Amino acid sequence: MMDTGWRQKYLRNIPAVDKLVAGCQADGNAYPHALLVRLAQEAAESLRRQIMAAEREEELKDIKISPQEMIQQVQGRLRQLEQPSLRRVINATGTVLHTNLGRAPLARQAAAAAKQASGYCNLELELKSGKRGLRYSHVERLLTILTGAEAACVVNNNAAAVLLALNTLAAGKKVLVSRGELVEIGGSFRVPEVMAAGGAQLVEVGTTNKTHIADYRQALDEDTALLLKVHTSNYRIVGFTASAGIAELAELASAHGIPLMEDLGSGLLLDLSPFGMEREPLVFERIAAGVDVLTLSGDKLLGGPQAGIILGKRKYLDRIKKNQLMRALRPDKITLAALEATLRIYLFGNPLQEIPVLYMLTASLAELERRALRLAAAVREKAGERLDVEVRQDVSVVGGGAMPLTDLPTFVVAVRPKELPVSEWAFGLRTGNPSLVGRLQEDWLLLDLRTIAESEEEEVVLCLS
Ligand SMILES: *Cc1c(COP(=O)(O)O)cnc(C)c1O
């Protein structure tokens, strides 16, 4: 009751919006008037909320309310808005497929193709006939040649691919899935939820650690539209385990005239086990083993842009392509151009050299050590008085929910500021431009050479100094 006096006094002292706008225009800048009004209103409103939230007058003794201070705040908001929000990051985390950092970096050819497609292009025009074409036609042939599938189409991401396939092939019907495969991938993709969104009814078979072909056979009835296998990309069930094989599942499905679908997650086209990585199923092996509909991501181990790829038998793909949802889930021309260029590398180029994800995953330890020593020497030379610098052996991970058991031996440059808390220093690096993101470990920042491109090393030295 008694406190309203001071509160009213503060509220009355908030400078008028037009005064703030005039203050921001005093230096003759050409910002849009409506923008300045909007930012001035926001600053005034935030001050008002602060005043209303205070319970006692003392809480407001440091409040910045003078016209001068408020104008500075508005100018701060302007500067923030002027900085691009999406900016380049130097990934020194050692996680190759880092979903928060945009997963796979594109190959040079893919980036060039995306740039070229950014103007007009023949996205849906058959140049020979002059008639309307299909957007996924630009990649369908490459995909079928590379994987042995009869047909293919592409949507926005793999979650969309699973949704579209389930909705087309099993809406209103039952889908059998092993209890060991009810996967959650990074927060919002969970098999049961996607199933519900696609309008299909999930029927769990088997147990968490063991599911046999007989469990599927027993659960199958006339209402069953699909057998679904989900690759447990980001976890493994080890020990006393069993799961039905693709060949026997394919046989069971075909005997009942229904498709076997598999959500493969990462789409690996090349065997990376000679480089010390887990043996992941390869796309063409699954097609050859009899999977009728296969879905995978474009931006995981395939190393391309964000996309969902659906491969399989023509009779099922024809139905999927006609689903009305296709329109809502279709990819844009930039994605398709980048995907086409990436696939061409697999067919005509040298994928282990030219696709950054594969290059990073297969980098040799000796090469990583050589680069770590060189980077450490350059950092010592430029910033040795202010930083402790060490070269250490460590491990990087594949990331992106792929190969969870694979630890890749690597070399890192460990740096530690002599006079600043490491978290404060790492904040500065992270919010710089380019942003540099490493791995914090105790009071060191680790910079993993596996995910730093050779061409970025000089920039890393600049960021650190
Ligand atoms: C990653 C993954 C998904 C989701 O793919 P997005 O391309 O991220 O939509 C779905 N299923 C599996 C098995 C995955 O590994």
Side-chain angles (χ1 to χ4, degrees):
M1 292 289 116
M2 324 295 290
D3 64 355
T4 51
W6 58 264
R7 201 189 297 281
Q8 290 307 323
K9 183 190 75 185
Y10 275 99
L11 288 173
R12 269 198 310 277
N13 278 343
I14 297 177
V17 165
D18 49 0
K19 197 164 169 183
L20 298 177
V21 171
C24 290
Q25 285 169 329
D27 60 359
N29 68 59
Y31 292 111
H33 184 258
L35 171 64
L36 294 176
V37 169
R38 162 80 192 239
L39 298 182
Q41 281 169 341
E42 280 178 10
E45 179 55 31
S46 121
L47 207 58
R48 193 168 296 121
R49 270 200 301 269
Q50 211 182 325
I51 294 166
M52 296 308 290
E55 286 173 5
R56 288 168 304 120
E57 185 172 6
E58 295 76 76
E59 291 172 31
L60 296 176
K61 66 179 177 358
D62 293 329
I63 197 166
K64 295 193 167 58
I65 197 168
S66 75
Q68 228 37 50
E69 289 168 321
M70 289 282 290
I71 288 168
Q72 274 176 17
Q73 275 185 42
V74 176
Q75 286 168 335
R77 284 169 192 259
L78 257 178
R79 275 192 300 276
Q80 229 175 29
L81 198 61
E82 267 187 317
Q83 276 256 4
S85 170
L86 204 54
R87 65 181 94 155
R88 192 161 75 83
V89 172
I90 298 176
N91 175 10
T93 63
T95 302
V96 177
L97 295 171
H98 200 305
T99 299
N100 298 355
L101 300 182
R103 285 206 189 140
L106 292 181
R108 186 180 48 74
Q109 298 92 314
K115 186 161 178 223
Q116 194 164 54
S118 64
Y120 290 120
C121 64
N122 59 332
L123 181 64
E124 290 190 355
L125 181 70
E126 275 183 18
L127 294 176
K128 281 192 188 139
S129 65
K131 296 217 172 81
R132 171 149 194 209
L134 296 165
R135 62 177 61 206
Y136 42 74
S137 66
H138 304 286
V139 291
E140 182 164 22
R141 191 156 156 71
L142 290 169
L143 283 168
T144 57
I145 290 173
L146 283 166
T147 64
E150 289 177 7
C153 78
V154 177
V155 289
N156 225 326
N157 53 33
N158 187 34
V162 175
L163 176 73
L164 184 65
L166 287 175
N167 180 262
T168 308
L169 303 172
K173 298 252 190 150
K174 292 182 187 166
V175 172
L176 311 190
V177 189
S178 159
R179 287 200 167 84
E181 297 174 2
L182 295 173
V183 182
E184 167 171 327
I185 311 281
S188 52
F189 183 92
R190 298 171 129 201
V191 170
E193 272 83 342
V194 177
M195 192 81 79
Q201 185 197 338
L202 170 70
V203 178
E204 300 177 20
V205 302
T207 62
T208 305
N209 58 327
K210 283 204 172 199
T211 303
H212 304 281
I213 190 71
D215 296 319
Y216 290 90
R217 193 176 294 120
Q218 216 161 42
L220 239 169
D221 62 19
E222 322 60 288
D223 284 337
T224 308
L226 188 89
L227 303 187
L228 176 66
K229 197 148 174 67
V230 182
H231 183 50
T232 57
S233 340
N234 55 1
Y235 68 101
R236 294 287 181 263
I237 294 178
V238 296
F240 187 59
T241 69
S243 59
I246 291 292
E248 52 186 355
L249 281 169
E251 198 185 312
L252 180 65
S254 122
H256 284 76
I258 60 171
L260 167 65
M261 168 170 158
E262 183 175 27
D263 174 18
L264 198 55
S266 260
L268 192 57
L269 296 182
L270 296 174
D271 183 12
L272 297 180
S273 61
F275 300 92
M277 268 156 276
E278 280 162 74
R279 183 70 170 82
E280 278 270 317
L282 302 179
V283 177
F284 82 88
E285 290 173 346
R286 298 309 239 220
I287 296 288
V291 173
D292 297 299
V293 176
L294 191 69
T295 64
L296 52 116
S297 284
D299 57 351
K300 289 187 180 170
L301 292 171
L302 192 93
Q306 179 192 303
I309 296 170
I310 311 178
L311 301 167
K313 302 257 162 72
R314 186 169 295 111
K315 64 175 171 178
Y316 299 120
L317 265 289
D318 282 348
R319 286 170 58 193
I320 289 170
K321 289 169 183 174
K322 289 201 192 91
N323 189 324
Q324 290 296 307
L325 273 178
M326 182 76 193
R327 171 67 184 240
L329 305 176
R330 69 187 190 182
D332 72 333
K333 58 185 177 179
I334 310 275
T335 298
L336 284 165
L339 182 61
E340 180 185 0
T342 307
L343 295 172
R344 281 187 191 287
I345 296 174
Y346 280 100
L347 205 54
F348 299 111
N350 182 350
L352 294 183
Q353 284 295 320
E354 296 167 27
I355 294 182
V357 166
L358 300 181
Y359 180 79
M360 291 188 269
L361 288 174
T362 58
S364 79
L365 195 57
E367 170 74 3
L368 294 169
E369 179 175 29
R370 185 185 65 77
R371 290 181 49 207
L373 290 169
R374 182 175 68 192
L375 179 63
V379 174
R380 273 192 205 104
E381 189 187 312
K382 285 272 160 50
E385 344 58 87
R386 281 175 292 116
L387 298 176
D388 294 324
V389 183
E390 289 178 6
V391 170
R392 300 184 193 160
Q393 192 167 345
D394 206 298
V395 286
S396 1
V397 296
V398 180
M403 302 188 182
L405 302 185
T406 296
D407 280 341
L408 299 162
T410 190
F411 274 90
V412 300
V413 174
V415 279
R416 177 173 68 178
K418 289 182 177 159
E419 275 158 19
L420 210 62
V422 70
S423 57
E424 200 174 302
W425 185 62
F427 170 85
L429 295 170
R430 200 169 65 237
T431 53
N433 197 1
S435 159
L436 174 65
V437 181
R439 229 170 29 239
L440 277 172
Q441 196 177 82
E442 285 153 22
D443 48 354
W444 293 85
L445 181 67
L446 309 185
L447 307 173
D448 191 327
L449 271 292
R450 185 181 296 279
T451 50
I452 301 172
E454 194 150 0
S455 59
E456 290 172 328
E457 284 176 23
E458 262 177 57
E459 267 180 304
V460 171
V461 178
L462 279 177
C463 290
L464 296 182
S465 49

